Amino acid sequence: MRVLIAGGGVAGTVTAMALRLAGHEPVVFEAHPSGGADAGAFLTVMHNGMDALRAIDAETPVIEASFAALGVEVIAPDGTTVGSRTFDRELDGPRTLTRAALYRALQQEAERRGIAIVRGKRLVSATGNITATFQDGTTESGDVLVGADGLHSVVRTLIDPTAEPPRYTGLTIVYGYTRAEGLPAAPGVYRMFRGSRAAFGYTTAPDGATFWFARVPDAERSRAEIAAVTPEGWREFAHAAFVGDPLPCAAIVAATGDDVHGGHSYDLPATRVWSTSSMVLAGDAAHAASPAAGQGASMALEDAVVLGQCLRDLPDAPAAFAAYDRLRRARVEKLVAVSAGSDVGASQGWAYRHHLDWSARITA
Ligand SMILES: Cc1cc2nc3c(=O)[nH]c(=O)nc-3n(C[C@H](O)[C@H](O)[C@H](O)COP(=O)(O)OP(=O)(O)OC[C@H]3O[C@@H](n4cnc5c(N)ncnc54)[C@H](O)[C@@H]3O)c2cc1C
């Protein structure tokens, strides 16, 4: 079956690899001319995400592009440590990397496996049996369309024009990277702070770079307003959220140059319809969690592998999509709900202790 995949991010590239193993013919169409959006952010692929990659032998490029995340420490506004957790090492451990590095690693691996990734192709519409139309006016035909086109998915609204749009979480997130000397080091560990107004976290990469983020309660601004904020503007915004707190957050922000990026955080609690007889959603297009649980990418990786198994084992696309919905929906919707109720929380055991076996047969 020729499968058109809209989106060459986490879900799209890995769905393509899984479908290739399942004997189908996937082609990925990525809107960006090179790589993906939100290149400023970094993330952690948790145990379950690494497990999903391992199910299709695709973990090595991600390991090579990342560093080990060892655990989490939570620090109160007065500077006392109120909790700590070491990540389970008996399972293969989680990995930290930038979103851009993750996209690059997965896209390169997909291409190495002979999968075409066509860049600069933004899907704008599609008919049911499938002719996909792109912004540049070109069209492509296939048997199935996978919407792996992220939070603001076009395929979601093609499947259900009444689908709920993403929900603003009330948080603006700022990411920064600095190599300034003299900052407190947290090698591989996420040190999370609950400041008096906002949450902050940082970790130190093996090469000494400090990766930090700030989650700041904020009124929603338009996309144009957000796009107009300069790195200096983001730095000042994050700094103001921690100044006066007896914590190192403001000092880390102040020691950062122009490698600062920001944006609002959205989630997507429940997408009623995930598929038609020839279109289906995967990853953030179907369900997006706020970043608090650190699980969005890992759940997208799981989706990709399970969707590949369903399209391998079931006789037609509608049966495959029904099984996929049955296998995935409760788990991902639980994650979105848990993440929405958390501020500096980290992935929980039920989420990361999850194993996928590529050879397991899926039944209707
Ligand atoms: C600030 C931030 C921090 C996060 N932190 C974490 C974390 O620590 N851990 C974690 O697991 N997750 C985290 N996440 C969530 C994680 O990034 C997402 O869950 C994950 O990227 C979802 O993968 P995806 O493939 O579904 O979507 P995406 O990775 O967003 O990929 C979608 C792709 O589709 C492309 N696209 C969009 N529209 C079209 C179109 N019409 N046609 C063609 N292509 C299109 C985009 O350019 C993009 O490349 C974070 C998210 C954000 C925003």
Side-chain angles (χ1 to χ4, degrees), residues 293-310:
Q295 272 285 350
S298 297
M299 291 289 171
L301 292 166
E302 289 183 17
D303 280 0
V305 172
V306 175
L307 182 56
Q309 289 176 302
C310 292

Side-chain angles (χ1 to χ4, degrees), residues 238-290:
H239 188 264
F242 300 100
V243 75
D245 282 348
L247 300 171
C249 317
I252 293 172
V253 175
T256 304
D258 280 349
D259 204 354
V260 192
H261 316 260
H264 286 331
S265 154
Y266 293 86
D267 70 3
L268 192 64
T271 300
R272 215 165 30 87
V273 190
W274 280 15
S275 60
T276 63
S277 58
S278 56
M279 298 184 199
V280 67
L281 302 174
D284 276 11
H287 50 80
S290 86

Side-chain angles (χ1 to χ4, degrees), residues 6-12 29-32 35-38 41-44 99 103 121-123 148-151 154 173 175 282-285 291 294-298 300:
V10 180
F29 298 94
E30 165 55 46
H32 279 259
D38 288 318
F42 60 92
L43 50 74
T44 301
R99 266 164 75 106
Y103 288 165
K121 288 278 180 191
R122 179 174 293 279
L123 180 94
D149 49 346
L151 188 64
V154 169
I173 310 195
Y175 286 81
D284 276 11
Q295 272 285 350
S298 297

